[in-house]
Amino acid sequence: MNKTVRVWDRPVRLFHWSLAASVALCWVTADELQRVHEVAGYTAAGLVGLRLILGLAGTRYARFSQFMRSPGRTLSYARDMLGHREPRYLGHNPLGAAMVVTLLVMVAAIGLTGWMQTTDAYWGVEWVQETHEVLAELLLVAIALHVAGVVHASFRHRENLVGAMITGRKRAPASGDIL
């Protein structure tokens, strides 16, 4: 029987799936149900705020200081991945960490531009609306890359990362894994 260890705590897992649901709800209601779209958007923005708190004061694998890597180390990991020699990380690998930051920044920017459209100063301002829409479309690309990365890492390291984000548990570290 394979031993497992707790990596993702309940707040991180609830954040992850709640953000995914909020973004999905924003996407399906964008042109039809404005009030639902706004509530889902504000929920997503609030969740980003929660994730920032968890990133600064959460448990070990939730903290940005645990998984953020330098651009050089991230590029080195990408090269190793392309050569099929990347190490397994118990928490986020460097590309996964970069994606976490990218997704958080994008959702925050989409939330900001969405909110701006409800203010007197920016109501009907074309660049705000266009920025909001372009960022939302780019977010879909980033989500697709995120899912592709999860699938790739799951196969490469023979573990179900989706399952780990549901249960919070991953295979115990082996020799060569990065904690």
Side-chain angles (χ1 to χ4, degrees), residues 9 11-12 51-64:
D9 63 9
V12 166
R51 185 61 182 95
L52 293 176
I53 293 168
L54 293 173
L56 296 173
T59 56
R60 176 180 180 182
Y61 291 104
R63 289 180 184 252
F64 298 129

Side-chain angles (χ1 to χ4, degrees), residues 4-160:
T4 63
V5 293
R6 168 111 21 224
V7 176
W8 310 121
D9 63 9
R10 183 168 286 137
V12 166
R13 296 186 334 260
L14 285 173
F15 156 78
H16 179 272
W17 296 114
S18 297
L19 185 63
S22 295
V23 168
L25 189 56
C26 283
W27 185 70
V28 299
T29 61
D31 296 323
E32 303 299 324
L33 300 169
Q34 191 60 35
R35 186 68 188 137
V36 174
H37 181 79
E38 289 176 8
V39 169
Y42 288 132
T43 299
L47 287 165
V48 169
L50 170 65
R51 185 61 182 95
L52 293 176
I53 293 168
L54 293 173
L56 296 173
T59 56
R60 176 180 180 182
Y61 291 104
R63 289 180 184 252
F64 298 129
S65 61
Q66 192 280 327
F67 64 82
M68 292 304 305
R69 306 289 189 246
S70 70
R73 190 158 176 199
T74 302
L75 289 173
S76 177
Y77 179 85
R79 279 190 300 275
D80 288 345
M81 187 187 77
L82 291 172
H84 302 290
R85 60 184 182 278
E86 77 278 12
R88 175 182 177 253
Y89 280 73
L90 196 57
H92 289 97
N93 67 50
L95 286 175
M99 184 55 75
V100 167
V101 172
T102 299
L103 292 169
L104 290 175
V105 168
M106 290 183 80
V107 171
I110 293 165
L112 176 63
T113 56
W115 169 78
M116 288 170 68
Q117 292 179 72
T118 68
T119 66
D120 290 340
Y122 294 100
W123 176 263
V125 174
E126 193 170 326
W127 73 263
V128 176
Q129 182 176 350
E130 287 177 8
T131 301
H132 184 76
E133 290 173 4
V134 167
L135 286 172
E137 291 171 8
L138 290 173
L139 180 63
L140 294 177
V141 173
I143 290 168
L145 290 171
H146 169 62
V147 170
V150 167
V151 169
H152 177 268
S154 291
F155 280 108
R156 282 286 298 138
H157 301 293
R158 295 179 180 88
E159 67 183 339
N160 181 348

